[in-house]
Amino acid sequence: MSETAIGQRVWGIGRLWGKVAAVAVIGLMVLVFFTARSYFESLELQRAQSRVTLYRSTLLSALERYQHLPFVLAHDPFVLRAAQGFGRQQLNARLASFASEADLDAIYLMDRTGLTVAASNYDRDLTFLNQNYGFRPYFRAALAGERGQFFGIGATTSRPGYFIAEPVRNTDGAIVGVVALKLDLSGLERAWSDGGETVFVSNRDGIVLLSSEPSIRYRALDALSADQRRAIQARKQFGQEALAPLDWKRLGPDQVRLNGVSHLHVTAPIQGSDWVLHFLSPERDVLTRAWLVVIGAAILAIVISAAGLYLRIRRVRESLAESQAARRKLQAANIDLAREIEERREAERRLEKAQTELARTSKLAALGQLAASVTHELGQPISAMKNYLAAAELDAVPGEHSETFSRLSSVVGRMERLTQQLRFFARPSGAGVDGGANGAVGLKPVDMKPVDLKDVWHEAFALIEPDLDGAGIKLDAQLSDAPVMVQGDRLRLEQVVVNLCRNAVLAMQSAPRRKLTVRVEDADDLAQLSIRDTGPGLGGLTIEALQEPFVTTRASGEGMGLGLAISAEIVKEHDGRLTARDIPEQDGGGAEFTVTLPLKTEGPSRP
Ligand code: ADP
């Protein structure tokens, strides 16, 4: 599998996990929401239960406070007398003082027909006096010998109230009238509405009698049937109120919707009546709290995952730093290793060079011994031959054998040159040829002095100019304007230049284009002298191969392969370097030999 494919797969898996985690988090939040909601709902229901109990007790205490007053009044002799038609005027005043003392709306006495014969509000405009309440259920109940209780809107005053009635019996036990009181519950309602909670009381018909919310008072929880409406009308219970149905719907055992808003709903029956107390708590509060819990949980989840992410990033960073440190260590170790390898290679190269040098030195040493004995053995005969030849020339008749003499002297000259070349090697290091002045083959110490390479060239040129002319070679000398000073042995440096030039001349013997380019210049503390020809080139041979003694391509007798060996030795004595290269065909072809020497700067000359 390719790296990109692996990357894509990992990315795909990562995204899948991301989706799974998102779904899991959403699922968890939904669970948290519903759990919190049911928890807060049960809490709220508990609270509602305790509130409804409290409201019921306040209502009961308000109702029960006067429960026994009608009974007591029914046994009052003044009431009894008035019921029997005596002292009704006095009773009016008496009832008025009772009512004001007990803070009651009204206390009144009715005869058996329901006609009010005495009333506490006898002196008010809307007095009950002479009004007939025979239609009221509380009157009928009392007339039947029971205690009558009833909530209704006053038929005379149009003000709501709670009526309690008791039969008034004469000494025989016969009912001669009914005494009743009207209790004003508006104070209680005001207290409820000041509490800011929704609480109300409904009767058997589902009509709201008392409520903390005035807007729902005298409204029906369920639509009223025609019979119900007729009966209510007969009792004149709610005056002109339309008793319109409320926007009320039961959603569950503990839930209702009132005017489009969901509420938790708790009820409690009021003992001794057909009333039910309702307490409503908006579900919105529960939902708000549940949402707050969800938000809290979400914030907690975010904080936890952020902390997790932070820790993970820190771990990744740490391991990254560790791996980077390990990488750096490895890199350092690699660099050390590479340096060590390079050092070893360098040592190997040095060893190889030293071995080559050793081989070359021993070769040169052997060559030196051979050269010493050959030059020694041949030196004498060659001198003798030269002398005999000179003597024979002197003795000869002019013009006779002159060609033979010149050939002989040329051959002897060549033999002498060859022995001279060999003599170079027949000396200890640091000594040079001196033409036989020192020992058998003549050794001369190297004479190091400041030398201008341009002078070296001029001297060498003087020696090879005839060769150049003879071979028809064009010269191109590119010499630096300023002197190019080196510390060296002028004669020996000349020998090098002559060797290189001779080689060039020989190489160009059969070349179609013959040009010798000489350059003398300085650059970067180095002096350079290069000889370039237009011959056949070196055929890829290196200077190391060419400077080996006796390496030659020339015909036997034309060269011994010692020229470059000698030149290389001399350049080495001068702490310099001899290099050679083939000139590419497109640049004219041929070979170029370069002598590079340390530039002689101002200062004391080398001893
Ligand atoms: P010799 O000239 O006696 O042969 P050298 O040591 O001077 O010995 O040269 C060695 C060989 O290097 C020559 O035989 C020749 O093959 C090659 N050589 C030297 N100089 C040149 C040159 N300028 N062009 C081509 N070959 C050269």
Side-chain angles (χ1 to χ4, degrees), residues 503-504 507 533 537-538 546 551-554 559-565 591 593:
N503 279 347
D533 61 55
L538 306 173
L546 294 173
V551 170
T552 180
T553 54
R554 310 206 193 294
M560 286 204 297
L562 290 176
L564 285 180
F593 285 78

Side-chain angles (χ1 to χ4, degrees), residues 130-162:
N130 300 322
Q131 298 291 334
N132 193 307
Y133 298 114
F135 56 88
R136 291 292 205 187
Y138 63 87
F139 172 79
R140 291 185 181 173
L143 203 61
E146 291 167 11
R147 175 173 297 172
Q149 296 185 50
F150 177 73
F151 181 91
I153 293 177
T156 311
T157 60
S158 300
R159 282 171 53 193
Y162 184 66

Side-chain angles (χ1 to χ4, degrees), residues 273-305:
S273 72
D274 55 1
W275 292 5
V276 176
L277 182 69
H278 301 254
F279 180 84
L280 298 185
S281 165
E283 211 181 9
R284 192 185 52 231
D285 296 354
V286 169
L287 292 178
T288 307
R289 276 182 267 173
W291 275 119
L292 283 178
V293 168
V294 169
I295 290 167
I299 288 172
L300 194 70
I302 288 168
V303 167
I304 288 172
S305 40

Side-chain angles (χ1 to χ4, degrees), residues 412-454:
V412 171
R414 214 159 75 200
M415 285 169 74
E416 193 178 23
R417 274 204 307 280
L418 289 176
T419 52
Q420 263 174 4
Q421 273 198 334
L422 272 179
R423 197 181 292 164
F424 177 85
F425 297 98
R427 61 181 174 90
S429 175
V433 183
D434 77 344
N438 190 358
V441 287
L443 298 174
K444 185 182 122 187
V446 177
D447 187 14
M448 292 292 197
K449 282 186 186 145
V451 185
D452 186 354
L453 266 192
K454 287 201 298 181

Side-chain angles (χ1 to χ4, degrees), residues 498-508 533 554 563-564 593:
V498 168
N499 280 350
L500 295 178
C501 288
R502 286 229 164 93
N503 279 347
V505 171
L506 290 173
M508 288 189 284
D533 61 55
R554 310 206 193 294
L564 285 180
F593 285 78

Side-chain angles (χ1 to χ4, degrees), residues 77-237:
F78 291 91
V79 172
L80 182 61
R81 282 189 62 226
Q84 291 168 333
F86 309 105
R88 288 182 173 170
Q89 286 294 332
Q90 294 94 315
L91 185 63
N92 279 341
R94 188 177 170 82
L95 292 181
S97 73
F98 282 176
S100 97
E101 199 59 34
D103 197 20
L104 284 165
D105 225 19
I107 305 174
Y108 51 104
L109 175 71
M110 291 158 283
D111 64 12
R112 284 184 57 88
T113 63
L115 184 74
T116 307
V117 292
S120 61
N121 54 11
Y122 67 96
D123 53 354
R124 307 262 171 88
D125 285 346
L126 294 172
T127 176
F128 290 2
L129 211 55
N130 300 322
Q131 298 291 334
N132 193 307
Y133 298 114
F135 56 88
R136 291 292 205 187
Y138 63 87
F139 172 79
R140 291 185 181 173
L143 203 61
E146 291 167 11
R147 175 173 297 172
Q149 296 185 50
F150 177 73
F151 181 91
I153 293 177
T156 311
T157 60
S158 300
R159 282 171 53 193
Y162 184 66
F163 301 85
I164 309 171
E166 196 72 36
V168 180
R169 297 172 192 268
N170 60 17
T171 44
D172 300 335
I175 294 170
V176 290
V178 170
V179 66
L181 60 84
K182 182 184 177 189
L183 185 58
D184 181 9
L185 294 175
S186 58
L188 186 74
E189 278 185 306
R190 264 198 306 280
W192 286 0
S193 106
D194 288 348
E197 293 176 316
T198 309
V199 58
F200 64 89
V201 172
S202 66
N203 68 3
R204 188 201 324 234
D205 293 323
I207 295 165
V208 177
L209 308 177
L210 302 167
S211 169
S212 61
E213 302 267 340
S215 61
I216 61 172
R217 195 181 297 141
Y218 310 134
R219 304 282 298 273
L221 296 182
D222 303 302
L224 296 169
S225 66
D227 284 348
Q228 278 176 312
R229 279 194 179 276
R230 257 197 305 279
I232 291 165
Q233 202 59 50
R235 304 194 283 268
K236 297 190 180 166
Q237 189 175 0

